[in-house]
């Protein structure tokens, strides 16, 4: 870790380790734990939206949450002291072969300096400016797990990528794709005529044709009592999509995710009677 400067929490528009990170990174570890016993090779993990490789932990609430889920995941997410790792480093700590990228060249440099390999190393013609290009068949066929971790414009500008994901997992039955989605509109609210509602409805329609090959963890808006940047604006959802989700072999993975969902509901500060949902 001496190769690069640690990212200061004050320099980021979000707090690393926030509720979204907790769910996303714990699910990543649970997936890798499920994958490893049945495969002789290391899982091949691609994160085209790599972001920052690590940051100072500046909020005691995040440490409390991490300690609350430590029985589910060991400390690949943080060093037990004051450093929180990004997705690529977490997967590397969990014995995955990792390739990452980011459209920001400074972030790519930090990712590389942290010991992670860039997607350019695996694919000489990889387009760093378009993380969704990882879904092209010539790339996806060489990966076991892809993490799509975009900005908040996914539903408004990139919803069609769910169609591309469905096609690519049907083309490569061993591939898994995790998609982290931020959604302004609660599915429990009554219909409205604004654009946010229409976008949300289109998303739910796409979910319907994904249900046979996907599972989901959906978290309501966080009651942000602790000044953690990046919480409270959105509902968030993590989709895990693969043709294998239809198979009995993924039963343990589903059960682990369901158990984790029940635990993390008690850990995060949700509103009264709200809970994190798991389907199917």
């Amino acid at each position: 870790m001496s190769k690069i400067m640690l990212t200061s929490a004050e320099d980021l528009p979000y707090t690393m380790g926030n509720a979204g990170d907790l769910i996303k990174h714990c699910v990543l570890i649970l997936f890798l734990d499920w994958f490893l016993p049945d495969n002789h090779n290391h899982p091949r993990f691609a994160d085209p939206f790599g972001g920052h490789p690590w940051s100072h932990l500046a909020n005691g609430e995040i440490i409390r949450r991490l300690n609350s889920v430590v029985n589910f995941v060991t400390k690949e997410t943080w060093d037990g002291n004051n450093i929180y790792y990004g997705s690529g480093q977490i997967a590397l700590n969990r014995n995955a072969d990792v390739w990452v990228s980011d459209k920001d060249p400074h972030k790519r440099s930090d990712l590389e300096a942290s010991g992670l390999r860039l997607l350019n190393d695996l694919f000489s013609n990889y387009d760093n400016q378009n993380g969704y290009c990882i879904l092209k068949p010539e790339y996806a066929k060489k990966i076991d797990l892809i993490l799509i971790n975009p900005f908040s414009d996914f539903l408004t500008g990139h919803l069609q990528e769910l169609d591309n994901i469905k096609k690519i997992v049907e083309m490569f039955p061993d591939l898994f794709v995790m998609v982290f989605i931020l959604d302004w509109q609660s599915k429990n609210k009554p219909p409205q005529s604004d654009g946010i509602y229409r976008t949300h409805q289109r998303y739910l329609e796409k979910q319907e044709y994904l249900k046979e090959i996907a599972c989901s963890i959906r978290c309501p808006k966080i009651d942000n009592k602790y000044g953690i940047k990046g919480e409270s604006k959105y509902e968030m959802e993590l989709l895990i999509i693969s043709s294998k989700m239809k198979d009995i072999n993924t039963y343990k993975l589903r059960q682990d995710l369901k158990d984790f969902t029940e635990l993390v509901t008690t850990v995060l500060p949700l509103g009264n009677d709200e809970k994190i949902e798991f389907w199917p």
Side-chain angles (χ1 to χ4, degrees):
M1 282 186 285
S2 60
K3 294 181 180 179
I4 63 172
M5 293 291 291
L6 283 170
T7 303
S8 169
E10 289 74 23
D11 295 335
L12 295 176
Y14 56 88
T15 304
M16 283 185 74
N18 64 22
D21 278 347
L22 182 71
I23 291 174
K24 175 175 55 189
H25 292 152
C26 288
V27 169
L28 174 60
I29 292 172
L30 289 172
F31 174 87
L32 294 173
D33 278 354
W34 168 82
F35 182 96
L36 282 167
D38 295 325
N39 292 271
H40 298 294
N41 297 322
H42 295 275
R44 299 166 297 177
F45 173 68
D47 182 357
F49 299 87
H52 297 276
W54 46 54
S55 172
H56 284 293
L57 272 174
N59 193 301
E61 168 63 9
I62 290 177
I63 296 174
R64 182 196 70 80
R65 296 174 187 177
L66 289 168
N67 283 321
S68 298
V69 299
V70 76
N71 289 334
F72 261 71
V73 295
T74 53
K75 295 187 177 182
E76 278 81 356
T77 49
W78 88 112
D79 71 345
N81 185 19
N82 198 36
I83 297 170
Y84 188 90
Y85 301 130
S87 301
Q89 194 69 44
I90 290 169
L92 187 67
N93 290 346
R94 209 60 168 181
N95 298 315
D97 292 330
V98 179
W99 293 272
V100 297
S101 185
D102 195 279
K103 66 180 181 180
D104 183 331
H106 299 294
K107 292 177 183 176
R108 285 202 306 276
S109 295
D110 277 354
L111 290 163
E112 187 174 29
S114 73
L116 299 174
R117 290 174 290 182
L118 298 182
L119 279 162
N120 291 122
D121 298 334
L122 188 61
F123 309 113
S124 59
N125 59 345
Y126 180 81
D127 181 4
N128 292 299
Q129 298 304 307
N130 176 21
Y132 301 105
C133 76
I134 193 66
L135 299 172
K136 291 182 177 180
E138 61 264 36
Y139 301 155
K141 68 181 180 181
K142 296 186 177 181
I143 304 296
D144 297 306
L145 175 64
I146 296 170
L147 173 61
I148 303 293
N149 182 30
F151 294 108
S152 58
D153 65 349
F154 181 82
L155 292 188
T156 55
H158 300 282
L159 190 55
Q160 75 282 358
E161 298 299 343
L162 289 178
D163 302 314
N164 295 332
I165 291 169
K166 185 174 186 291
K167 290 176 185 175
I168 206 71
V169 299
E170 289 173 343
M171 187 179 299
F172 302 112
D174 292 329
L175 174 66
F176 287 78
V177 180
M178 288 172 49
V179 190
F180 185 73
I181 294 170
L182 297 172
D183 188 357
W184 277 100
Q185 175 66 42
S186 169
K187 69 181 178 62
N188 298 313
K189 289 184 179 178
Q192 301 173 15
S193 60
D194 58 32
I196 291 173
Y197 176 75
R198 289 195 299 273
T199 298
H200 176 77
Q201 286 302 107
R202 287 195 295 271
Y203 171 49
L204 292 186
E205 289 165 7
K206 289 188 182 295
Q207 268 194 352
E208 282 302 311
Y209 72 64
L210 288 172
K211 281 194 172 181
E212 187 180 350
I213 58 169
C215 64
S216 158
I217 293 175
R218 187 175 181 94
C219 180
K221 294 178 182 179
I222 300 295
D223 184 7
N224 193 353
K225 307 172 183 178
Y226 303 100
I228 297 174
K229 291 184 286 187
E231 291 189 356
S232 79
K233 265 188 175 182
Y234 303 93
E235 293 200 355
M236 56 186 143
E237 185 152 19
L238 186 66
L239 295 173
I240 303 176
I241 306 169
S242 173
S243 295
K244 277 194 169 182
M245 295 309 290
K246 296 183 288 187
D247 298 344
I248 190 67
N249 294 338
T250 59
Y251 174 79
K252 184 181 186 304
L253 175 62
R254 288 179 184 271
Q255 189 60 48
D256 289 346
L257 293 172
K258 183 177 182 293
D259 292 345
F260 169 71
T261 301
E262 292 172 357
L263 172 64
V264 80
T265 293
T266 69
V267 172
L268 294 177
L270 306 177
N272 291 336
D273 299 323
E274 289 190 319
K275 63 180 182 179
I276 299 173
E277 298 175 335
F278 176 80
W279 64 254

